[in-house]
Amino acid sequence: MGLFRRGPKRDGRDAPRDPEFSFFSAEEGTHFRAQVREAFAEQRLEVTVYADVVSDSSGRQFGLANLAAVLHNDERGPRAWPEVVRQHVGMVLRTMDAPSALDTLPTEQIRAQLYPRVVGRDGFNPENFGYARPLAPGLYEIIALDLPESVMMLTDEALEPLGDLQYLRDQALYNLRGLPVEGHETVEDADGMRFEVVLGDSFYTASRVLALDSVVRQVTGEQLSADGALVAMPFRHQLAFHAIHDTGMIPALNAMASFAASGYADTPGAISPYVYWWRDGTLTQLSDRDEDGEGLRIVVGEEFQELLERLVAKGEE
């Protein structure tokens, strides 16, 4: 998985846009939905295709937003769409038609395959996840079961027979800390701005912000100081961080704000377009949209302002 996406050959932005997925032209949107209908038909399942979902005769619905974003970001362009759609539809149907892993796997195996996931407000239905732990405005931690072809986000009802919630959270975090770093890139410029990006195909890459201390050690070989780090989780396959040591975090903050907003847009598994201050496991939001919604602004509270002033004074000594 690349750090920065390169645009495949696509219809220009001046072409009429798809009303549901504006990153598609109207013609691309029509082509996309036709491919979805055909893929279901190949599986001997006739579906009714709506703007953002398809529905079969039994009332089952299959959302299209994630698949649309995957195709939008595929560097190969529309020529690759038929195969990607076929694979996705096949996987979805195998997952839905198979017996639930919660009914077939031993409890200890389920616990060994639990991971915490950081999700945005749009990533789950709060009514079914009363246990979800708020991390920051619009960000939550839930528990997921990792399966060979899918990830099952576990509801209150699914978790109840598995044991004590705190024990399950601890087990999921232990499993998360055991994951390898799939990829790492450094973003820097000639003026000394620098931050690190962990990236990979794992659905839990961004969620490793919950174990940031161990990730920083793996990537840089250093320990985080009490001042913590800047972090961004634009989507599930990227985690960006800058360990705070000096005023070098000021240009990193500005660069990461743009990086997070860009990475979040039209991306499968989008989590947050903002940058946060991580300190001892607590997240404080530092970037936000301008009031007109067109640009970005940095918003700092009293404690972060004190940190800035202390680092500036230290640099002047």
Side-chain angles (χ1 to χ4, degrees), residues 1 3 179-187 195-202 204-209 212 215-216 218-220 232-241 259:
M1 170 170 296
L3 181 56
L179 292 176
V181 171
E182 294 180 63
H184 162 237
E185 297 186 23
T186 299
V187 179
F195 62 90
E196 312 299 328
V197 182
V198 174
L199 59 161
D201 292 329
S202 169
Y204 314 105
T205 302
S207 300
R208 298 184 72 164
V209 70
L212 187 68
V215 173
V216 171
Q218 284 179 274
V219 172
T220 70
M233 305 80 68
F235 64 110
R236 64 191 177 210
H237 300 297
Q238 286 187 355
L239 168 63
F241 69 86
F259 176 86

Side-chain angles (χ1 to χ4, degrees), residues 34-211:
Q35 293 291 334
V36 170
R37 178 185 283 111
E38 182 177 337
F40 275 101
E42 290 176 0
Q43 298 286 335
R44 300 182 180 180
L45 187 64
E46 292 300 322
V47 295
T48 302
V49 182
Y50 300 97
D52 61 343
V53 299
V54 300
S55 177
D56 67 11
S57 59
S58 67
R60 294 186 303 179
Q61 291 193 335
F62 310 85
L64 297 179
N66 191 65
L67 176 58
V70 168
L71 298 183
H72 169 60
N73 287 282
D74 194 311
E75 297 174 0
R76 298 169 296 176
R79 64 184 175 84
W81 291 6
E83 181 59 27
V84 175
V85 171
R86 278 195 294 269
Q87 290 179 358
H88 179 84
V89 168
M91 180 272 293
V92 167
L93 290 177
R94 285 192 301 274
T95 299
M96 294 194 70
D97 292 340
S100 172
L102 296 173
D103 296 329
T104 59
L105 294 179
T107 299
E108 284 308 310
Q109 185 174 346
I110 291 175
R111 290 171 178 165
Q113 295 173 206
L114 295 180
Y115 291 89
R117 279 195 70 180
V118 175
V119 295
R121 183 179 286 112
D122 297 332
F124 72 111
N125 182 353
E127 292 182 4
N128 298 324
F129 295 85
Y131 74 89
R133 184 169 74 95
L135 300 173
L139 280 186
Y140 302 86
E141 174 196 339
I142 62 173
I143 298 175
L145 174 60
D146 191 62
L147 299 169
E149 287 195 316
S150 64
V151 171
M152 181 187 297
M153 298 196 297
L154 299 182
T155 62
D156 297 315
E157 183 181 3
L159 279 180
E160 186 175 359
L162 298 179
D164 175 72
L165 177 59
Q166 187 58 54
Y167 170 78
L168 297 176
R169 277 184 167 144
D170 291 344
Q171 179 65 49
L173 185 60
Y174 174 82
N175 296 338
L176 184 73
R177 290 182 180 275
L179 292 176
V181 171
E182 294 180 63
H184 162 237
E185 297 186 23
T186 299
V187 179
E188 56 188 338
D189 65 19
D191 296 325
M193 184 285 300
R194 178 187 179 104
F195 62 90
E196 312 299 328
V197 182
V198 174
L199 59 161
D201 292 329
S202 169
F203 275 49
Y204 314 105
T205 302
S207 300
R208 298 184 72 164
V209 70
L210 300 170

